[in-house]
């Protein structure tokens, strides 16, 4: 490409000073090639600017707007969370603490389902675990009675003690005795300190007992003085009631 | 919405400005990529990037700012992708270009008879680096300085690219005029 083409293009685009422009116009008069190039460059610019028009595309425009709206939405959320992080954390803490307090308040000093299930299922931490293989059930029940204080439960002749755990869970002393009957079936006898005498466990009322389920085991629960007792096992509710009847000292 | 925040107003302003320049952006994207899908992707991505950076926009010339984002994006991303195909690399110094042999001057009849598609096809045949400069100059009306800024190249390179691009177009249009009998071949 000749240098004159570039100079002519600059002249057409208004990128030359007066002297340069005058020189090019002079060349046009003396050189037919320069004259033709000048007209062709003008023509090309005119053709492109008039024939190549902007392109509408409504669906694409709509897609762009949707993407911007989506970005804006996510930006807003991000900004809100960033700006109010402390407030949100605080609110969450209030909800957790408030919820806990409300739960306790609702239950009063009573014993709730969750607490009982944790103790029955062995999830509550025990301070003292004893293997009772060599001890008769009567000794185990004596120990249990000693640890419970006010309540007294009687050993059923047919029961053999396997182990006993003692501990405290959420401020309540508990004892968890594992026993087997003459058929080798295993049961849990759990005694939990409960000064309120309120036992808030889900289940069907049957006399003094509440018959329900915890951790996949059938349960029979009742209160006796300042202690709540639960007999749990993979047996029928009737068998558990029978067992509960047999160990209740106040029966 | 009852209460409009600063961000609402910012988005409204962006949408208003974007809608006004959208046909230009779309046309430029189509002419750069020569592929409608690539052009759609390019425009969308440019819109997203521009909106992200809109708070930093100086408020002077939205169209030039948008075209700069779009062309930069094209140069950095789409051109690279297209080059991985069968497209040869373009070397500005060694590029072949048609040399006009005619001294005959074109007249308005040729202009009137040229169809839009024919001009678009002639433009599409111009090598990419020259085509980009011609599109920005002759279709979008950008000045040499603006093009230099958009493409991040010296003004001297812009002058050279525009002249070469137009020389290519001259060659194509001369052939067209000769084929149609508007011009005689020497």
């Amino acid at each position: 490409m000749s240098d004159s083409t570039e100079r002519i293009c600059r002249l057409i685009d208004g990128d030359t000073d007066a002297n340069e422009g005058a020189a090019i116009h002079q060349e046009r008069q003396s050189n037919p090639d320069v004259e033709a190039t000048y007209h062709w460059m003008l023509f090309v610019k005119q053709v492109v600017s008039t024939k190549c028009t902007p392109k509408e595309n409504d669906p694409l425009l709509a897609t762009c707007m949707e993407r911007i709206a989506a970005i804006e939405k996510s930006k807003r959320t991000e900004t809100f969370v960033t700006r109010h992080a402390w407030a949100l954390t605080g609110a969450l803490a209030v909800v957790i603490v408030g919820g806990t307090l409300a739960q306790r308040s609702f239950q009063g000093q009573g014993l709730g389902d969750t607490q009982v299930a944790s103790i029955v299922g062995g999830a509550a931490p025990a301070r003292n675990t004893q293997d009772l293989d060599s001890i008769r059930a009567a000794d185990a029940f004596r120990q249990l009675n000693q640890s419970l204080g006010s309540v007294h439960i009687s050993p059923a002749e047919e029961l053999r003690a396997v182990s006993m755990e003692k501990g405290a869970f959420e401020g309540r002393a508990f004892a968890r005795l594992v026993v087997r009957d003459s058929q080798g079936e295993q049961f849990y006898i759990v005694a939990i300190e409960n000064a309120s005498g309120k036992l808030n466990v889900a289940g069907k009322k049957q006399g003094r007992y509440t018959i329900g389920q915890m951790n996949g085991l059938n349960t029979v629960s009742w209160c006796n003085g300042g202690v709540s007792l639960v007999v749990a096992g993979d047996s029928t509710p009737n068998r558990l009631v029978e067992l509960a009847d047999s160990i209740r000292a106040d029966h | 919405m009852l209460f409009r925040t600063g961000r609402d107003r910012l988005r409204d302003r962006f949408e208003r400005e974007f809608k006004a320049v959208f046909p230009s952006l779309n046309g430029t994207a189509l002419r750069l990529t020569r592929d409608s899908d690539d052009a759609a992707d390019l425009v969308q991505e440019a819109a997203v990037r521009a909106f992200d950076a809109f708070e930093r926009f100086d408020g002077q010339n939205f169209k030039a700012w948008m075209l700069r984002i779009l062309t930069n994006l094209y140069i950095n991303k789409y051109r690279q992708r297209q080059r991985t195909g069968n497209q040869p690399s373009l070397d500005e110094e060694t590029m072949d270009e048609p040399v006009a042999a005619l001294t005959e001057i074109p007249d308005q009849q040729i202009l009137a008879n040229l169809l839009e598609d024919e001009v678009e096809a002639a433009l599409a045949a111009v090598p990419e680096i020259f085509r980009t400069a011609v599109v920005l100059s002759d279709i979008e009306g950008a000045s040499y300085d603006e093009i230099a800024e958009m493409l991040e190249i010296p003004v001297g390179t812009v002058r050279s690219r525009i002249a070469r691009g137009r020389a290519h177009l001259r060659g194509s249009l001369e052939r067209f005029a000769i084929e149609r009998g508007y011009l005689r071949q020497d």
Side-chain angles (χ1 to χ4, degrees), chain A residues 4-226:
Chain A
S4 65
T5 307
E6 187 175 316
R7 286 169 55 231
I8 289 165
C9 285
R10 287 178 51 212
L11 175 70
I12 289 168
D13 293 329
D15 189 48
T16 51
D17 59 30
N19 290 340
E20 226 176 336
I24 295 167
H25 286 305
Q26 210 165 12
E27 261 184 78
R28 282 176 56 197
Q29 288 172 353
S30 59
N31 187 338
D33 281 343
V34 172
E35 175 67 356
T37 302
Y38 175 80
H39 284 287
W40 269 106
M41 291 301 108
L42 260 183
F43 177 74
V44 166
K45 187 178 166 84
Q46 191 184 4
V47 164
V48 171
S49 60
T50 55
K51 300 284 180 179
C52 300
T53 50
K55 306 285 182 196
E56 295 286 354
N57 184 338
D58 289 341
L60 178 59
L61 177 61
T63 307
C64 290
M65 295 295 107
E66 279 166 20
R67 282 191 65 177
I68 287 162
I71 289 169
E72 181 61 3
K73 196 175 170 185
S74 101
K75 233 178 198 177
R76 271 171 196 276
T77 311
E78 204 176 291
T79 308
F80 180 82
V81 171
T82 309
R83 192 174 294 167
H84 301 101
W86 284 107
L88 288 170
T89 310
L92 187 63
V94 167
V95 167
I96 293 169
V97 171
T100 309
L101 291 174
Q103 191 185 13
R104 288 197 174 185
S105 163
F106 174 72
Q107 290 176 351
Q109 293 301 307
L111 196 54
D113 248 342
T114 318
Q115 290 166 302
V116 176
S118 298
I119 296 168
V120 170
R127 274 198 302 258
N128 178 10
T129 304
Q130 276 183 291
D131 184 351
L132 299 177
D133 264 358
S134 58
I135 304 176
R136 291 183 305 114
D139 292 334
F141 275 89
R142 197 180 60 249
Q143 281 194 37
L144 193 58
N145 284 332
Q146 280 170 1
S147 67
L148 294 172
S150 60
V151 69
H152 291 279
I153 54 177
S154 310
E157 289 301 325
E158 58 169 328
L159 298 177
R160 185 172 65 84
V162 177
S163 67
M164 186 161 79
E165 286 180 347
K166 291 179 195 170
F169 184 64
E170 295 184 359
R172 296 172 190 279
F174 72 85
R176 181 171 176 268
L177 185 62
V178 181
V179 295
R180 286 213 172 96
D181 67 8
S182 55
Q183 306 297 311
E185 202 167 351
Q186 189 164 289
F187 300 93
Y188 303 91
I189 299 169
V190 179
I192 309 164
E193 185 185 62
N194 182 9
S196 73
K198 291 180 195 166
L199 181 61
N200 302 310
V201 294
K204 193 178 69 179
K205 288 280 179 196
Q206 184 178 308
R208 285 188 62 177
Y209 300 127
T210 302
I211 298 173
Q213 277 202 325
M214 283 176 201
N215 307 320
L217 298 174
N218 285 322
T219 56
V220 170
S221 323
W222 73 98
C223 281
N224 184 8

Side-chain angles (χ1 to χ4, degrees), chain A residues 1 10 13 15 33 37 40 47 49 51 53 55-57 65 67-69 71-72 75-76, chain B residues 7-8 11 14 18 23 26 31 44 48 52 97 103-104 111 114 116 138 144 159 166 170 174:
Chain A
M1 187 192 67
R10 287 178 51 212
D13 293 329
D15 189 48
D33 281 343
T37 302
W40 269 106
V47 164
S49 60
K51 300 284 180 179
T53 50
K55 306 285 182 196
E56 295 286 354
N57 184 338
M65 295 295 107
R67 282 191 65 177
I68 287 162
I71 289 169
E72 181 61 3
K75 233 178 198 177
R76 271 171 196 276
Chain B
R7 280 213 66 86
D8 290 327
R11 185 177 150 200
F14 179 83
F18 184 79
N26 187 37
R31 289 173 188 115
Q44 280 186 53
V48 167
D52 261 346
E97 60 189 50
T103 52
E104 207 167 335
L111 178 65
L114 274 170
E116 194 179 312
D138 295 352
Y144 284 17
R159 291 176 184 137
R166 286 184 187 151
R170 176 184 174 178
E174 276 178 347

Side-chain angles (χ1 to χ4, degrees), chain B residues 121-175:
Chain B
L123 184 62
V126 174
E128 179 204 59
I129 55 172
F130 306 149
R131 185 173 71 246
T132 306
V134 171
V135 166
L136 294 173
S137 166
D138 295 352
I139 302 175
E140 300 310 329
S143 69
Y144 284 17
D145 287 336
E146 283 172 340
I147 296 169
E149 204 178 313
M150 285 177 203
L151 301 180
E152 294 172 356
I153 53 175
V155 175
T157 309
V158 174
R159 291 176 184 137
S160 163
R161 289 185 183 183
I162 288 173
R164 285 168 175 239
R166 286 184 187 151
H168 266 274
L169 278 164
R170 176 184 174 178
S172 301
L173 297 177
E174 276 178 347
R175 278 191 296 277

Side-chain angles (χ1 to χ4, degrees), chain B residues 83-104:
Chain B
R83 276 186 182 172
T84 58
N86 292 325
Q87 285 217 341
S89 161
L90 299 175
D91 183 340
E92 200 169 348
E93 296 306 314
T94 60
M95 184 72 63
D96 286 337
E97 60 189 50
V99 178
L102 298 171
T103 52
E104 207 167 335

